Amino acid sequence: MPDAQRLDAQADAGTPHKPMATRTNATQPEERTQRSLFGEILDWMLVPLLLLWPLSIAITYLVAKSIANEPFDRALEDKVTVVAQQVKEVNGKVVTRLTGAATDILHADDVDNVYYQVRNAVGDIVEGDGEIPLPKDLEPPPPWSTQFRYDFIRNTEVRIAYIYVDLHKTQTAPQLSVEPRMALVQVAETLDKRSQLVNQIIKGVIVPEFIILPIALVLVWFALTRGLRPLAELQQRIRERRPDDLSPIDSGYVPEEILPLVGSLNEMLERLSQSIKIQKRFIADAAHQMKTPLAGMRMQSELALRQTDQAEIHKSLEQLAKSSKSATRMINQLLALARAENQTPTTRPLLPLELSELARDNVQEWVQTSFNKKIDLGFEQPDYHIMVNGDAIMLRELLNNLIDNALNYTPAGGHATVRVRADDEARLAFLEVEDTGPGIAPHEHKRIFERFYRILGSNVEGSGLGLAIVREIAQQHGAEIDILTNPNCTNPKAPGCLMRITLPLEQPAPFFDGSI
């Protein structure tokens, strides 16, 4: 238990309190450009199409080139095979049995130039065109295996098919030598026919794409317009609603993808409807409550004007001042409640503060009032800091209402105590205000936080807004409110009341000297 520290009313009545520093956080809203959902979807659909179109042309070209090479390579392979079959070795010399007509047929091509070449085992040209370069193979491939490559003849790219011929198998007479002897046969042709076929294939694919792509764009545009039509219809339905119509939006004709958005809007409309109802009720209650002091002030002022006796005039002015004081307090509490309800973490963020120091300063402001009412007002705090996240102004307002409530219900000669303590294991801070008044019946615990509600038979002046303000501020700080009987009271007719506000701790509490 922390040590109790009683405040001497006469000594501390004139003690100045520390001014609270307020912090403003002026942030300028970030400007955002509006973006079209239709344009966003259209961009994400058309940009990939426009990027894939040249990619498809490149892939088509490679596929067309492969398709064009296959038949022409087979024809070229047939030609080099026919020439290779005519190569023989006679008396150690490589000869061919190609006739002039066969050579003419080999060169017969209306589009491409065809070249052929036969080399013996030592690489000398036996027959054919000498411009055909030698293969660049590091090791010769197996004999009678047709190989293909690209090369250049007279700065013109050609396709070359070549075969190595095993001369041992072509000898007309057996030879004693077993040394490998390979003759090279090559047939080359230019690439004009292949290019023509590739161009024809590409034209056959690209031309339809030029026709299909605009049609696809039109269809995409139409599909997006059609698909986004429910949004336009929903927009029109919302625009046609009356300003005071806060009923839920009918989701029967809403697409499945928009249902979460409509559900969120309906939840917001429900909260807005409840807020407006509360505000209307609050305004009605406030207007009703203000009628009494205003009517009394008017009546007393009119009565004072009609009086000629100074004593009666003075008595009317006293009543007028009393009614003015009551109206002023009610207006201040209404403003405090409105400020508490409109405060959000964005407009006024919660900052770390020391709860004991804040409570001690508040209690010092009520010392003179407790002295005038002959009530012993005490304050208890531990010997370490209690840090919480909160708004200093709002927490002061909360504590002021609790202390005012305690002093109003505590009879003369009674006690009222403000206590601050913490539970490090549970990470909780406790702000308690206890009194020795009549207490609060259990069935009244929920109703006392309603606006303008006052317990019948209490005979205490007030507006019924203090505890409503306490509840609103506590909710904004994530705090809980408990109403208990005062454990220090022994009189069953005056069990007292203990109001406990439970706040989460901000950080561990280091030791310090808690003397006032």
Side-chain angles (χ1 to χ4, degrees):
M1 285 293 295
D3 296 334
Q5 298 174 349
R6 288 288 166 189
L7 297 177
D8 188 349
Q10 295 179 348
D12 294 343
T15 303
H17 63 276
K18 298 180 181 179
M20 294 298 297
T22 59
R23 179 179 297 180
T24 59
N25 186 14
T27 57
Q28 194 169 4
E30 181 183 356
E31 294 184 359
R32 294 186 180 180
T33 57
Q34 293 183 345
R35 304 176 67 181
S36 169
L37 180 61
F38 182 87
E40 190 81 9
I41 298 176
L42 195 62
D43 289 344
W44 280 103
M45 294 184 68
L46 294 185
V47 170
L49 285 177
L50 296 177
L51 292 177
L52 288 175
W53 187 57
L55 182 62
S56 67
I57 294 177
I59 295 175
T60 301
Y61 173 77
L62 296 176
V63 173
K65 190 174 181 180
S66 175
I67 294 174
N69 278 337
E70 187 173 349
F72 290 113
D73 281 351
R74 285 201 300 268
L76 192 60
E77 182 180 8
D78 293 339
K79 291 179 181 180
V80 74
T81 302
V82 169
V83 175
Q85 289 174 350
Q86 303 303 317
V87 175
K88 304 291 181 181
E89 186 178 19
V90 180
N91 298 325
K93 293 183 178 181
V94 177
V95 297
T96 62
R97 294 182 294 181
L98 292 173
T99 61
T103 304
D104 293 339
I105 294 174
L106 188 63
H107 287 89
D109 196 314
D110 296 336
V111 180
D112 286 316
N113 295 326
V114 181
Y115 310 91
Y116 81 98
Q117 182 188 87
V118 179
R119 293 177 181 265
N120 58 21
V122 296
D124 296 332
I125 297 176
V126 176
E127 188 175 341
D129 303 293
E131 292 90 349
I132 302 177
L134 289 171
K136 296 180 177 61
D137 300 327
L138 297 178
E139 294 182 1
W144 300 105
S145 172
T146 304
Q147 306 295 322
F148 295 91
R149 76 178 191 275
Y150 288 99
D151 218 319
F152 289 89
I153 297 178
R154 301 169 189 170
N155 295 326
T156 302
E157 189 176 14
V158 294
R159 181 72 165 170
I160 301 174
Y162 59 98
I163 295 177
Y164 284 93
V165 180
D166 188 356
L167 295 177
H168 285 291
K169 295 183 179 181
T170 64
Q171 294 174 355
T172 56
Q175 300 291 330
L176 296 177
S177 175
V178 293
E179 182 181 353
R181 292 171 58 79
M182 296 288 184
L184 175 63
V185 179
Q186 298 187 98
V187 177
E189 67 176 4
T190 53
L191 307 178
D192 295 338
K193 291 196 300 293
R194 300 168 187 257
S195 299
Q196 291 178 2
L197 181 57
V198 170
N199 292 335
Q200 290 176 0
I201 295 174
I202 292 178
K203 289 179 182 178
V205 174
I206 298 302
V207 171
E209 287 188 0
F210 274 110
I211 301 174
I212 293 174
L213 187 60
I215 297 176
L217 295 179
V218 173
L219 292 177
V220 168
W221 185 282
F222 176 77
L224 284 177
T225 305
R226 184 79 176 177
L228 295 178
R229 182 177 298 176
L231 285 178
E233 294 176 352
L234 178 62
Q235 178 186 11
Q236 186 63 26
R237 285 161 52 192
I238 294 176
R239 283 183 174 178
E240 292 176 352
R241 293 167 69 98
R242 300 188 311 275
D244 58 343
D245 185 5
L246 298 178
S247 61
I249 300 171
D250 185 11
S251 59
Y253 300 96
V254 175
E256 182 179 354
E257 290 76 12
I258 313 177
L259 278 178
L261 174 61
V262 175
S264 299
L265 287 175
N266 287 336
E267 291 177 2
M268 184 190 69
L269 289 174
E270 177 65 22
R271 294 194 300 268
L272 181 60
S273 177
Q274 293 295 331
S275 177
I276 292 176
K277 289 180 181 178
I278 293 173
Q279 292 295 332
K280 288 181 177 179
R281 186 178 65 186
F282 174 70
I283 293 173
D285 292 341
H288 177 73
Q289 293 293 327
M290 289 297 295
K291 287 180 180 179
T292 301
L294 290 178
M297 292 170 62
R298 180 179 178 180
M299 182 183 67
Q300 294 297 333
S301 61
E302 291 177 351
L303 183 62
L305 290 174
R306 290 195 297 265
Q307 294 290 340
T308 57
D309 187 1
Q310 292 296 328
E312 294 296 331
I313 294 175
H314 182 74
K315 184 178 180 181
S316 297
L317 291 178
E318 286 181 348
Q319 292 295 328
L320 182 62
K322 185 177 180 181
S323 299
S324 175
K325 181 179 179 181
S326 175
T328 300
R329 173 168 174 76
M330 179 176 291
I331 292 174
N332 289 334
Q333 286 192 315
L334 287 173
L335 293 176
L337 182 59
R339 183 171 63 250
E341 289 179 337
N342 294 325
Q343 179 175 315
T344 63
T346 303
T347 58
R348 200 174 183 92
L350 303 182
L351 303 175
L353 55 88
E354 212 287 308
L355 189 60
S356 298
E357 181 181 357
L358 181 143
R360 183 174 63 248
D361 292 342
N362 259 41
V363 171
Q364 288 176 349
E365 296 174 1
W366 288 90
V367 168
Q368 185 62 47
T369 302
S370 66
F371 178 75
N372 295 336
K373 292 187 175 185
K374 299 180 180 180
I375 297 174
D376 184 11
L377 176 63
F379 175 70
E380 298 176 4
Q381 71 173 39
D383 54 357
Y384 51 82
H385 287 295
I386 298 179
M387 301 298 297
V388 297
N389 284 323
D391 181 270
I393 296 177
M394 289 292 100
L395 288 179
R396 283 178 178 273
E397 184 69 27
L398 177 146
L399 187 54
N400 282 334
N401 282 280
L402 290 179
I403 296 175
D404 181 54
N405 194 67
L407 294 181
N408 284 335
Y409 284 91
T410 300
H415 301 276
T417 304
V418 177
R419 183 182 301 107
V420 179
R421 60 187 182 88
D423 186 344
D424 288 335
E425 294 183 0
R427 305 296 301 144
L428 296 174
F430 302 98
L431 177 61
E432 299 176 345
V433 178
E434 66 180 23
D435 58 61
T436 56
I440 302 174
H443 65 275
E444 300 280 2
H445 285 184
K446 291 184 179 180
R447 301 197 62 187
I448 61 173
F449 294 104
E450 296 178 2
R451 299 169 180 174
F452 306 111
Y453 179 78
R454 296 180 61 201
I455 299 176
L456 295 176
S458 59
N459 298 323
V460 176
E461 295 183 358
S463 61
L465 289 173
L467 292 181
I469 297 173
V470 170
R471 180 183 62 177
E472 189 66 32
I473 297 175
Q475 289 177 350
Q476 293 182 358
H477 285 75
E480 296 181 359
I481 306 176
D482 295 314
I483 304 175
L484 309 170
T485 58
N486 189 347
N488 298 319
C489 289
T490 57
N491 185 359
K493 295 183 179 181
C497 178
L498 171 62
M499 302 289 290
R500 176 182 296 162
I501 309 297
T502 305
L503 296 152
L505 278 176
E506 194 271 335
Q507 63 182 12
F511 176 82
F512 89 112
D513 184 5
S515 60
I516 297 179

